[in-house]
Amino acid sequence: MGSRLLCCVALCLLGAGPLHSGVSQTPKYLLAQAGKKQSFKCEQNLGHDTMYWYKQDSKQSLKMMFTYNNKLMIANETVPSRFSPESPDNAHLNLHVKSLEPEDSALYLCASSRDTALQSHQLPVHKPARQPGS
Ligand SMILES: *[C@@H]1O[C@H](CO)[C@@H](O)[C@H](O)[C@H]1NC(C)=O
């Protein structure tokens, strides 16, 4: 019956293409058995200091997992301890999973930015926002 599906964890990673274009994630797509160990790599060559892992599950909600700045973890949005990120340098943020769970089936997205302050506070100031529908 559906039990074979339950034993598998589908992990999808979207990259922006080859590394010359910025951020790259490997592997791109993975169907793994629950209980298995897995690692994802993310690399950027944009000279950014801050890197992120996001998770998008089947409910389509995009959730922040980890934020690293200068090799240090600055945010952990209560990700289960089986996930351990590793940042050997500013250009890499790898994600290791000790033992995959069925609920880990998701799309995983890696991103980078120059600075965390830009991410959270800077809004475009050139154009005033127009009210939609008015
Ligand atoms: C992230 O936070 C959760 C909840 O506090 C904790 O169990 C987990 O070990 C933390 N992960 C890392 C990599 O620190």
Side-chain angles (χ1 to χ4, degrees):
M1 282 203 10
S3 57
R4 272 190 65 190
L5 276 180
L6 283 178
C7 82
C8 291
V9 184
L11 302 128
C12 234
L13 298 101
L14 277 193
L19 188 59
H20 59 75
S21 62
V23 183
S24 115
Q25 294 176 227
T26 47
K28 295 270 181 271
Y29 178 79
L30 173 76
L31 191 62
Q33 222 180 332
K36 284 278 158 68
K37 217 166 110 172
Q38 190 62 48
S39 292
F40 314 121
K41 285 186 184 167
C42 179
E43 184 178 10
Q44 52 91 13
N45 64 356
L46 301 166
H48 289 169
D49 285 342
T50 308
M51 293 185 74
Y52 313 84
W53 273 106
Y54 291 89
K55 175 181 177 178
Q56 184 167 33
D57 62 20
S58 52
K59 287 169 244 141
Q60 301 298 309
S61 57
L62 188 64
K63 284 191 198 145
M64 160 87 76
M65 297 176 76
F66 296 109
T67 305
Y68 266 71
N69 178 259
N70 266 314
K71 300 188 275 183
L72 291 175
M73 184 165 71
I74 55 168
N76 165 7
E77 304 293 328
T78 58
V79 179
S81 55
R82 63 179 178 277
F83 287 89
S84 48
E86 178 217 352
S87 181
D89 54 53
N90 275 356
H92 295 84
L93 180 57
N94 303 327
L95 191 58
H96 307 287
V97 195
K98 218 185 297 170
S99 173
L100 289 166
E101 299 281 337
E103 74 220 47
D104 298 337
S105 286
L107 180 66
Y108 291 85
L109 297 153
C110 174
S112 72
S113 73
R114 195 173 302 278
D115 193 0
T116 46
L118 288 175
Q119 181 78 10
S120 47
H121 299 298
Q122 205 174 66
L123 293 167
V125 287
H126 300 295
K127 269 192 201 171
R130 299 181 82 177
Q131 291 286 37
S134 62

